[in-house]
Amino acid sequence: MEVNDMSDLHEEGKNAINAPMLPTGMDIHPEDTLLEENAERIMLDPTSRENLKFKDLLKVLIDWINSELEEDRIIVKDLEEDCYDGQVLQKLFEKLSGRKLNVAEVTQSEIGQKQKLQTVLEAVNETLRPHGWSIEWSVDSIHSKNLVAIVYLLVALAMHFQAPIRLPEHVSVQVVVVKKREGILQTALVTKELTSTTEMMLGRFERDAFDTLLDHAPDKLNVVKTSLITFVNKHLNKLNLEVTELESQFADGVYLILLMGLLENYFVPLYNFFLTPESFEQKVHNVAFAFELMQDGGLKKPKARPEDVVNLNLKSTLRVLYNLFTNYKNSE
């Protein structure tokens, strides 16, 4: 038997020993057998790639990057192939942060790409770490096109810089972790949570009455909604307007602005807002303007972000309306 044949037989035997531990549909990669002792490699489980919420998350992130980098004429189609060399991540971070990073514009060599990634990720980590973000990415994981690490990074950037997008909530994927212990490859499936709720990701961990209400007393939620609908219609009816759905009818900001005018007894000039907003940005402008009117009226700045209301976040909309209710419930 030739030496090469012996080597092939050895590889077959090793793969046969390890194969029973592999998740279905996952193949041993040749580089796995070259792992150093106690080293590990992480890859996305193939079934997770087909997860609809995960696909939706990827699409939202790609559309967001392309919108942000439109002026740079950068078009991202595939996060793994387009983000690994640091070029897109550099441009994105510079646009979001307003900082110019001292890196080479185009780098073809692996060393050059990793140096660029090192500079970009150091700047990203310096920005995110003080705000409690867990750093789930590294130069090696991004450069090796680890999609989970890339998504973790992009989600953190989107939430930290309050991107005007709605990320799908509670997106989890399974990753295969391959480790080498005592010369033998061991594999395990691990669940990774890529997004939780918008509020948790924004770091708003303080609980309030609405958290308790939504979590523990959904039956009482309808009572609160009915009271709020009665309150807003009492005033909006003066303009022959009526609300039946709290979540959707305040999302473009128009009713909020008109309601503030009615409550404070003034006419809001139509040039101050979009009466028939069409784009996401126009709706955010309207809700933000309504928030300014509330603060002008002596109310505290709403906890919710304008984007939350535009994105039909019920809890955020309820908070805003309840704040108005407690301050103006006796107004005629």
Side-chain angles (χ1 to χ4, degrees):
M1 186 179 278
E2 297 285 336
V3 173
N4 284 347
D5 293 338
M6 287 290 292
S7 176
D8 291 342
L9 193 63
H10 177 68
E11 284 301 314
E12 277 186 38
K14 187 153 56 174
N15 285 349
I17 293 169
N18 293 317
M21 295 186 288
L22 282 172
T24 308
M26 180 58 67
D27 297 322
I28 276 276
H29 286 247
E31 62 263 36
D32 292 339
T33 59
L34 301 176
L35 282 174
E36 295 180 7
E37 185 66 20
N38 292 322
E40 67 177 36
R41 196 168 80 88
I42 298 175
M43 58 207 134
L44 186 63
D45 181 48
T47 56
S48 286
R49 281 189 182 272
E50 301 308 311
N51 180 306
L52 292 180
K53 287 178 75 172
F54 180 60
K55 283 185 170 182
D56 187 26
L57 176 60
L58 296 184
K59 183 181 185 307
V60 170
L61 290 172
I62 288 172
D63 290 346
W64 168 58
I65 295 172
N66 288 335
S67 173
E68 290 289 347
L69 301 183
E70 190 175 7
E71 292 177 7
D72 293 288
R73 297 182 179 178
I74 290 174
I75 298 176
V76 170
K77 295 180 179 177
D78 183 292
L79 292 181
E80 289 159 295
E81 294 301 327
D82 296 335
C83 291
Y84 81 96
D85 63 359
Q87 181 76 6
V88 168
L89 293 177
Q90 173 210 336
K91 294 293 185 186
L92 181 63
F93 181 73
E94 288 180 339
K95 173 78 186 298
L96 296 172
S97 66
R99 287 173 56 188
K100 183 75 178 156
L101 299 179
N102 184 23
V103 290
E105 275 304 308
V106 180
T107 50
Q108 298 295 339
S109 70
E110 180 177 334
I111 293 174
Q113 290 171 351
K114 286 190 171 183
Q115 284 174 341
K116 171 180 272 197
L117 268 175
Q118 181 75 34
T119 303
V120 173
L121 294 186
E122 280 177 1
V124 168
N125 296 350
E126 283 172 13
T127 302
L128 298 180
R129 193 176 274 121
H131 297 275
W133 286 100
S134 173
I135 307 302
E136 300 279 353
W137 51 84
S138 65
V139 171
D140 286 337
S141 63
I142 300 290
H143 195 266
S144 64
K145 304 180 184 179
N146 181 324
L147 184 57
V148 175
I150 293 169
V151 170
Y152 266 128
L153 173 58
L154 293 173
V155 167
L157 287 173
M159 297 310 298
H160 178 78
F161 288 103
Q162 300 193 354
I165 57 176
R166 180 162 181 77
L167 294 174
E169 299 186 343
H170 299 298
V171 179
S172 293
V173 293
Q174 289 195 312
V175 297
V176 181
V177 181
V178 182
K179 292 183 180 180
K180 181 176 273 190
R181 290 274 167 84
E182 296 179 358
I184 294 179
L185 294 180
Q186 299 178 347
T187 63
L189 268 182
V190 178
T191 300
K192 294 279 188 180
E193 185 184 56
L194 299 174
T195 67
S196 53
T197 65
T198 302
E199 291 192 341
M200 288 294 281
M201 289 186 285
L202 283 168
R204 298 176 187 171
F205 296 108
E206 67 271 18
R207 306 279 295 168
D208 64 13
F210 280 108
D211 289 303
T212 307
L213 188 71
L214 287 168
D215 292 347
H216 304 295
D219 51 320
K220 293 181 182 175
L221 180 61
N222 285 330
V223 177
V224 173
K225 287 169 75 172
T226 302
S227 299
L228 291 177
I229 287 173
T230 302
F231 163 71
V232 297
N233 281 336
K234 172 184 169 184
H235 299 281
L236 289 175
N237 284 166
K238 297 169 189 173
L239 299 176
N240 292 321
L241 301 172
E242 183 152 5
V243 169
T244 55
E245 275 289 323
L246 292 179
E247 298 98 313
S248 58
Q249 286 183 268
F250 286 98
D252 65 6
V254 175
Y255 278 16
L256 270 181
I257 293 169
L258 297 176
L259 182 59
M260 279 310 301
L262 291 164
L263 293 171
E264 285 288 336
N265 201 25
Y266 55 68
F267 176 75
V268 182
L270 296 180
Y271 58 76
N272 277 339
F273 66 100
F274 299 96
L275 190 59
T276 54
E278 295 177 1
S279 69
F280 187 89
E281 289 72 21
Q282 290 178 347
K283 294 175 184 178
V284 169
H285 168 90
N286 280 358
V287 177
F289 178 58
F291 283 9
E292 287 177 24
L293 297 180
M294 292 172 197
Q295 289 172 268
D296 290 345
L299 278 70
K300 288 182 179 178
K301 183 180 179 181
K303 273 186 184 181
R305 299 184 311 154
E307 290 86 355
D308 299 336
V309 176
V310 176
N311 279 327
L312 309 179
N313 184 304
L314 174 61
K315 202 186 295 184
S316 298
T317 306
L318 285 180
R319 282 197 178 103
V320 172
L321 294 174
Y322 190 75
N323 199 20
L324 294 179
F325 173 74
T326 54
N327 280 273
Y328 297 101
K329 60 186 174 187
N330 296 322
S331 299
E332 287 304 322

